[in-house]
Amino acid sequence: MQQTPCTIVKKERLIPGQTSKLVISCPHIAKKAQPGNFVILRVSAQGERIPLTIADADPEAGTITMVYLVMGKSTAHLETLEEGDALHDLCGPLGQATHIEQVGTVICVGGGTGIAAMHHIAKGHQRAGNHTVAIIGARSKNLLLFEHELKSFCDEVLIATDDGSYGHKGFVTQVLEERLKTDKTVKEVVAIGPVPMMEAVSKTTKPFGVKTTVSLNSIMVDGIGMCGACRVSVGGQVKFACVDGPEFDGHQVDFGELRQRLAAFKPQEALSFEAFKERHGK
Amino acid sequence: MASSESSPKKGKSPTPRVPMPTQEPLARIKNFAEVALGYAEDQALIEASRCIQCKKPLCVQGCPVEVPIRDFIAHLQKNDVQKAYEVIKSTNSLPAVCGRVCPQETQCEGNCILGKKGEPVAIGRLERYVADTYMALSACDQITGKPECPLINEDLKVACIGSGPSSLTAAGYLAARGIKVTVFEALHEVGGVLIYGIPEFRLPKGIVAAEVAALKEQQVDLLPNWVGGKTFTIKELFDEGYKAVFIGVGAGLPKFLGIPGENLIGVFSANEYLTRANLGRAYDFPHWDTPTFPGRRVAVLGGGNVAMDAARTALRLGAEEVRIVYRRTQGEMPARHEELEHAVEEGVILEILSAPVEFKGDSQGRLTSMVIQKMELGEPDASGRRSPVPIEGAFQELACDMAVIAVGAGPNPILLDSTPELKRTRRGYIDANQDTGETSMPMVFAGGDIVTGAATVISAMGAGRRAAKEIARRLLGEDAA
Ligand SMILES: Cc1cc2nc3c(=O)[nH]c(=O)nc-3n(C[C@H](O)[C@H](O)[C@H](O)COP(=O)(O)OP(=O)(O)OC[C@H]3O[C@@H](n4cnc5c(N)ncnc54)[C@H](O)[C@@H]3O)c2cc1C
Ligand SMILES: Cc1cc2nc3c(=O)[nH]c(=O)nc-3n(C[C@H](O)[C@H](O)[C@H](O)COP(=O)(O)OP(=O)(O)OC[C@H]3O[C@@H](n4cnc5c(N)ncnc54)[C@H](O)[C@@H]3O)c2cc1C
Ligand code: SF4
Ligand code: FES
């Protein structure tokens, strides 16, 4: 076992300036990464520890894939790295792997950058022999991610765009609801994306009594169960998203609390981003 | 509960203890620089001369790693710092750390014979003086030639999981005997609580870094960002050729109170608050990226070192009012005396005989106040301390926008969950032999907070040393260990 720099071997700007995909060489993590796992990384010596989902892993090639949305300072800094550059720190795989069983039909709903994270989980469900349906959505056609990747292995890929520029016009939840009304073989719904989307999906599935799994993006610091920053309320109990999750039963999650806690550091995040933009002449 | 320095003396005490120079309270709450400044040469020599060189030195009995205290002080009395350092180093691999953070009043100094009549020798301060002075000296050593490091046997590999004082001590001991050691640390910096928990103003990071650099010279490999139980398992270590494993992963799981409102914005575990400040250097935000929370009126719950550190950190980060809320009285607080004293000097308010019962917030989910239940002292409990008993109907509301919970920690679950074959105690800690550190798994040893529960730096070091001795004995045979 040795420390080798975790280098970016491939970078793809999926939506320029907004979303990118990185393939990173880190054999020790690639070997272990399961669907549902995430990593904690730092871009620089002074950087913050931020969590990103492992969107794909190739143990043979020794690489993992991550897809991120430029949100603030740390992801903007990450966006400045190019192929050949190394991450300062990369730690993982962390979190519980997705619980995957052969159950029948599984619908995987992805929104925004969450589609990438969902993609690794959908792959797991497909491999386990489930009839796997992906429902993905974005504001508009040019913001849609991973359509081709998903089409390469999913049994069905359904698409929704807010502006109707592609697929169903409207939200993924409408497509999901239609499906649940007509298809009684659906045994599980997985939703990954922005908090409001995961909340809406959970509301949609509730009347149908279909098991619903969401992946919570609470604020994390260490990612190994030592700080409690990531605590979320699930079924009235306090859980640590980094070690007990990040996936939980969507019908039990207190989404309101999660939304509030995600806003805890808003003013500081803005400050940090401004300082960064100034330094980088933007 | 004033310090020994200010308590009235009975009988005749030869000379008073030399006080420790410190930064002025008003100045120091505006910076993160060290509070206690350390003795100058003349002060150290005067203090050392107070030691009467007992035939049967009681002080040593109070030291978990058995530093030959009398002997190091004897060298110091002759102003031979190098010899004094060698004596200390023979059993203590982190003297600059211990001189700063050990609870001396209950250990060596608590046993010193001079304490019976007056004030004990300031053993901790002398240890710190020796370690710091030698660290400065050893820079010249680079030119004059250094003691050779032993040849490292790459076939005899030992892994230490976690990089707190227990692992660092075990690593140092083994490397000194020619064994190749790899230290795996989950976080991005090495040092455990010494780095992420204890603040800069009490234990400068440079001191920890210097101790860690010494290990690197002994060819110890340090691997940050490697998580035992996630990135690798114990079984894989043996498959990779490691001959023994030492587990020193600490007690990092934060305890919460289980009272309403605990997830409001502004309520933190001490671990989160201190990790942001120390590991993330949040006091230097936005130069460093990790933010911290700008508490104005802060309540810290608990009465140990962790609570003191959180309270004093909050002051330095600009809080206007900081209270320590503790359910017993000042006399029962488990914190080191010096830290409690420093905290009070700096303006921390002690809200004693108070137990939190609820956090209240606004519509945005932000903390606005805390309800406390007033207590009184009842009968002594199992720990010998008088137990707090609620006074019926006595509640009080404290306005606060930040609360830090510092009421203890449990065993960190990550490694343990991946290693179910490791036998645990009833409280969930690793069940390890007291003398050797051996666990229920062959050639797997454990020590420090993950065995004892949250304890002290020196007890973790003692455990690391005992386990390393046993590992060396098994790998090298009786004599070499
Ligand atoms: C388990 C997990 C997996 C994630 N996977 C992905 C992913 O695959 N792709 C992706 O684009 N994003 C992912 N995120 C979110 C990602 O971590 C945040 O977008 C990132 O930390 C933002 O950092 P920033 O400095 O760029 O932005 P900031 O300006 O710091 O923050 C912007 C927003 O990001 C969130 N955030 C800030 N700091 C953290 C933190 N330390 N941990 C979590 N959230 C934070 C807050 O909601 C904040 O409002 C994941 C989060 C978690 C917890
Ligand atoms: C804020 C604070 C102040 C304190 N003040 C004092 C004091 O003044 N005096 C005193 O004597 N004691 C003090 N203590 C207690 C003392 O620091 C601890 O008793 C001591 O550090 C325990 O040492 P350890 O080696 O067992 O583990 P720790 O120092 O806890 O280190 C354990 C390390 O293991 C790492 N780890 C955990 N899980 C894994 C894993 N799965 N894989 C890899 N690495 C892992 C952790 O990240 C951590 O770095 C204080 C503690 C705290 C929290
Ligand atoms: S007990 Fe006190 S006086 Fe005696 S040797 Fe130890 S430090 Fe010196
Ligand atoms: S991020 Fe610290 S406990 Fe989960």
Side-chain angles (χ1 to χ4, degrees):
Chain A
M1 294 184 190
Q2 52 177 326
Q3 197 84 311
T4 43
C6 297
T7 317
I8 300 172
V9 293
K10 194 157 175 276
K11 174 164 185 170
E12 240 180 276
R13 292 189 160 79
L14 302 178
I15 304 169
Q18 188 189 316
T19 307
S20 289
K21 173 174 135 179
L22 299 179
V23 180
I24 292 167
S25 163
C26 51
H28 62 292
I29 300 178
K31 198 165 71 181
K32 295 280 170 136
Q34 298 294 319
N37 286 151
F38 64 95
V39 291
I40 292 267
L41 63 85
R42 289 196 316 155
V43 184
S44 68
Q46 267 102 352
E48 184 177 14
R49 297 170 66 87
I50 63 161
L52 292 178
T53 306
I54 299 175
D56 207 353
D58 183 340
E60 270 91 65
T63 58
I64 62 167
T65 299
M66 295 177 318
V67 176
Y68 58 88
L69 180 66
V70 176
M71 288 279 288
K73 158 79 208 267
S74 305
T75 43
H77 197 188
L78 184 59
E79 183 62 5
T80 65
L81 299 191
E82 299 296 340
E83 287 175 11
D85 289 341
L87 293 175
H88 199 279
D89 300 301
L90 186 62
C91 170
L94 300 171
Q96 301 288 338
T98 308
H99 182 76
I100 292 176
E101 267 184 278
Q102 195 186 349
V103 289
T105 301
V106 175
I107 299 183
C108 300
V109 189
T113 323
I115 300 173
M118 180 276 271
H119 148 270
H120 200 201
I121 295 167
K123 231 180 185 176
H125 278 294
Q126 179 73 25
R127 281 202 194 120
N130 291 313
H131 181 87
T132 309
V133 182
I135 303 180
I136 56 176
R139 263 179 291 129
S140 146
K141 182 171 193 236
N142 59 334
L143 298 177
L144 204 60
L145 300 177
F146 273 59
E147 182 190 350
H148 298 291
E149 283 88 340
L150 288 163
K151 280 190 168 153
S152 72
F153 66 84
C154 286
D155 295 291
E156 296 170 62
V157 178
L158 309 176
I159 290 162
T161 50
D162 295 4
D163 63 2
S165 51
Y166 191 40
H168 173 86
K169 179 171 182 336
F171 298 134
V172 284
T173 40
Q174 295 163 343
V175 180
L176 174 67
E177 188 165 20
E178 280 312 306
R179 183 62 178 251
L180 289 172
K181 276 184 187 152
T182 53
D183 183 350
K184 297 294 161 213
T185 68
V186 180
K187 285 292 176 312
E188 185 177 351
V189 172
V190 178
I192 307 184
V195 175
M197 184 214 108
M198 294 192 284
E199 185 172 11
V201 168
S202 302
K203 277 213 182 93
T204 306
T205 59
K206 188 94 198 252
F208 296 93
V210 176
K211 179 183 168 191
T212 302
T213 304
V214 292
S215 180
L216 301 187
N217 56 331
S218 58
I219 289 187
M220 295 189 175
V221 176
D222 61 303
I224 54 169
M226 293 190 355
C227 76
C230 63
R231 57 196 194 275
V232 289
S233 295
V234 183
Q237 277 189 310
V238 177
K239 299 275 179 195
F240 288 4
C242 68
V243 288
D244 301 320
E247 290 171 19
F248 294 99
D249 178 351
H251 297 148
Q252 305 275 327
V253 170
D254 183 340
F255 284 103
E257 183 189 280
L258 175 64
R259 254 200 312 270
Q260 286 179 335
R261 288 184 62 82
L262 278 169
F265 291 94
K266 273 263 148 59
Q268 292 92 322
E269 282 154 2
L271 203 68
S272 176
F273 202 11
E274 285 314 310
F276 174 79
K277 282 192 268 195
E278 218 158 86
R279 241 176 300 149
H280 282 72
K282 281 180 194 168
Chain B
M1 210 228 53
S3 83
S4 45
E5 266 136 317
S6 51
S7 64
K9 286 153 210 103
K10 287 183 224 99
K12 176 169 133 305
S13 136
T15 45
R17 202 167 138 114
V18 179
M20 181 67 132
T22 54
Q23 271 199 77
E24 285 304 319
L26 280 179
R28 73 193 189 221
I29 56 171
K30 297 200 171 64
N31 65 54
F32 271 79
E34 204 171 5
V35 167
L37 301 170
Y39 280 159
E41 182 177 322
D42 55 332
Q43 293 171 311
L45 291 178
I46 296 171
E47 185 58 31
S49 72
R50 294 182 61 231
C51 168
I52 55 172
Q53 294 288 304
C54 305
K55 278 236 166 54
K56 283 205 189 103
L58 295 174
C59 51
V60 183
Q61 292 169 21
C63 175
V65 296
E66 299 170 325
V67 168
I69 294 165
R70 181 195 56 195
D71 303 346
F72 102 71
I73 297 180
H75 290 300
L76 199 52
Q77 287 174 343
K78 292 181 235 139
N79 204 4
D80 190 342
V81 177
Q82 164 118 17
K83 279 266 168 52
Y85 185 78
E86 282 163 14
V87 169
I88 297 176
K89 258 310 225 205
S90 70
T91 72
N92 184 341
S93 49
L94 308 171
V97 173
C98 290
R100 287 173 166 80
V101 304
C102 274
Q104 288 98 2
E105 67 267 18
T106 58
Q107 297 180 161
C108 51
E109 294 177 15
N111 273 14
C112 170
I113 192 82
L114 295 191
K116 302 273 184 289
K117 280 210 201 131
E119 297 174 315
V121 175
I123 301 169
R125 297 170 186 177
L126 291 178
E127 183 180 31
R128 168 179 167 162
Y129 169 77
V130 170
D132 287 3
T133 309
Y134 183 76
M135 251 184 228
L137 282 181
S138 76
C140 322
D141 259 20
Q142 311 251 352
I143 309 160
T144 56
K146 296 185 139 159
E148 297 242 325
C149 279
L151 217 53
I152 298 290
N153 180 347
E154 301 271 347
D155 292 333
L156 287 184
K157 293 197 291 183
V158 173
C160 295
I161 309 178
S163 67
S166 66
S167 278
L168 295 182
T169 302
Y173 185 94
L174 293 167
R177 279 150 192 82
I179 291 171
K180 179 79 190 172
V181 183
T182 312
V183 176
F184 297 93
E185 167 58 49
L187 297 173
H188 60 258
E189 263 185 73
V190 168
V193 173
L194 308 182
I195 282 291
Y196 79 75
I198 303 182
E200 186 86 12
F201 56 80
R202 223 156 49 84
L203 178 63
K205 296 201 172 59
I207 298 286
V208 183
E211 305 279 20
V212 168
L215 285 179
K216 280 194 192 150
E217 273 174 37
Q218 289 178 284
Q219 300 174 50
V220 171
D221 285 334
L222 302 164
L223 294 189
N225 300 309
W226 285 68
V227 189
K230 291 286 179 187
T231 319
F232 63 92
T233 62
I234 291 181
K235 183 181 170 296
E236 284 164 356
L237 291 175
F238 286 108
D239 293 345
E240 291 254 339
Y242 286 92
K243 301 284 186 274
V245 174
F246 175 78
I247 304 173
V249 293
L253 183 76
K255 283 203 179 125
F256 286 90
L257 298 160
I259 62 174
E262 223 160 13
N263 291 350
L264 287 166
I265 298 176
V267 183
F268 296 89
S269 77
N271 265 8
E272 176 180 354
Y273 189 60
L274 291 170
T275 301
R276 284 180 179 277
N278 298 318
L279 185 72
R281 318 285 201 269
Y283 51 81
D284 203 2
F285 179 86
H287 183 57
W288 284 67
D289 293 346
T290 306
T292 184
F293 193 83
R296 293 263 158 275
R297 309 180 83 176
V298 180
V300 177
L301 316 176
N305 287 320
V306 185
M308 301 301 145
D309 284 345
R312 298 173 70 198
T313 298
L315 275 181
R316 283 162 175 74
L317 288 171
E320 284 150 21
E321 177 189 279
V322 180
R323 283 167 201 275
I324 286 190
V325 178
Y326 183 61
R327 51 193 195 123
R328 301 178 202 244
T329 65
Q330 203 175 336
E332 281 92 20
M333 288 190 183
R336 292 181 72 217
H337 291 182
E338 184 176 310
E339 308 317 330
L340 178 52
E341 238 171 68
H342 282 169
V344 172
E345 279 172 17
E346 289 167 9
V348 172
I349 303 161
L350 302 182
E351 192 75 47
I352 54 164
L353 292 168
S354 305
V357 288
E358 186 185 350
F359 295 107
K360 291 185 170 178
D362 61 16
S363 59
Q364 310 297 309
R366 293 181 177 265
L367 177 70
T368 51
S369 70
M370 196 177 100
V371 181
I372 53 176
Q373 155 96 66
K374 293 308 250 179
M375 315 289 276
E376 60 192 351
L377 287 186
E379 295 302 307
D381 63 10
S383 72
R385 299 180 301 177
R386 294 178 62 193
S387 56
V389 183
I391 304 174
E392 213 180 310
F395 294 99
Q396 204 178 314
E397 197 163 329
L398 290 181
C400 55
D401 56 3
M402 182 173 129
V404 181
I405 301 173
V407 297
N412 186 273
I414 286 207
L415 180 71
L416 301 184
D417 288 353
S418 81
T419 323
E421 56 275 49
L422 209 50
K423 198 170 157 234
R424 305 223 227 157
T425 64
R426 251 186 322 113
R427 292 162 63 218
Y429 294 94
I430 297 179
D431 195 350
N433 181 302
Q434 281 221 340
D435 300 318
T436 63
E438 190 164 29
T439 68
S440 59
M441 290 170 78
M443 291 312 278
V444 176
F445 300 77
D449 286 3
I450 190 59
V451 171
T452 54
T456 59
V457 169
I458 196 71
S459 65
M461 291 176 60
R465 188 156 182 269
R466 285 192 298 278
K469 262 188 188 172
E470 180 66 16
I471 294 172
R473 198 180 64 75
R474 304 260 185 107
L475 299 185
L476 303 170
E478 209 61 59
D479 303 337

